[in-house]
Amino acid sequence: MSAKNQISVEIPQAVIAEVNQKLQDCRALLAPYLQGLTPQDRETLFKLGDKTVATVQKVKSYMDTNAEFIPSYMDKVEFLKDEAVVTSLNPLGNLATQLATDIGDTVMLAGSEAITSALFYYGSAKEAASKGIATAKPIYEDLSQRFARKGYRKTPKAE
């Protein structure tokens, strides 16, 4: 029995190293401008989605044409800075999300194929060990630790 091979690539180590360096460079370039949040911050802040980004951008446009409605307690300069950050970082976030998804999908697919093949090898070593092939026994014993099932403890029912 063979497994269906859906991915067959070899990524040169030089490509991995170059991508890693470029991602590190991107992170370093943006680091002075990025802000981390605590889980509590994430929970309490207003969330900006597609509709609300459009609202912010529309308000920016109205502020240019109808400045009389800008309240005195609103900091227009800070609003414009915040809107500019959203507008400039959103495409980068989308690209990073796409890259992360593509990497995750590729790792999942290659990992699935790798563990399937590893299980084939394990099964072969197990069978060889059960037939008394001496060189298979230590391999099987070593690998079998990875597949040891943890026994279920049945707790006695209270009567």
Side-chain angles (χ1 to χ4, degrees), residues 1 4-6 35 37 39-40 54-55 57 73 87 93 99 117 139 151:
M1 173 182 181
K4 180 181 176 189
N5 191 37
Q6 297 181 58
Q35 178 73 41
L37 296 174
Q40 184 180 2
T55 301
Q57 291 170 340
Y73 50 85
T87 301
L99 177 61
S117 293
I139 294 169

Side-chain angles (χ1 to χ4, degrees), residues 10-130:
E10 293 179 27
I11 304 172
Q13 191 55 44
V15 170
I16 297 293
E18 185 177 351
V19 168
N20 185 47
Q21 185 57 56
K22 287 181 178 186
L23 289 173
Q24 293 292 344
D25 292 346
C26 289
R27 188 174 184 200
L29 281 169
L30 287 172
Y33 311 102
L34 301 180
Q35 178 73 41
L37 296 174
T38 66
Q40 184 180 2
D41 291 338
R42 291 177 164 279
E43 194 174 298
T44 59
L45 288 173
F46 279 116
K47 309 302 185 287
L48 200 63
D50 289 341
K51 289 181 182 179
T52 48
V53 168
T55 301
V56 167
Q57 291 170 340
K58 189 168 273 199
V59 166
K60 177 187 174 195
S61 176
Y62 279 130
M63 287 173 65
D64 291 339
T65 60
N66 299 89
E68 69 270 19
F69 297 117
I70 300 172
S72 61
Y73 50 85
M74 178 181 176
D75 189 335
K76 179 182 176 184
V77 172
E78 287 302 316
F79 169 80
L80 293 173
K81 286 165 70 174
D82 291 340
E83 185 277 332
V85 167
V86 169
T87 301
S88 61
L89 286 184
N90 256 343
L92 297 180
N94 292 339
L95 182 60
T97 298
Q98 290 170 353
L99 177 61
T101 298
D102 290 346
I103 289 171
D105 288 351
T106 304
V107 167
M108 183 180 291
L109 182 57
S112 176
E113 290 183 4
I115 192 63
T116 299
S117 293
L119 288 170
F120 289 156
Y121 182 89
Y122 170 71
S124 177
K126 180 179 180 179
E127 184 177 340
S130 73

Side-chain angles (χ1 to χ4, degrees), residues 147-152:
F147 300 104
R149 292 185 183 191
K150 295 185 177 172
Y152 292 101

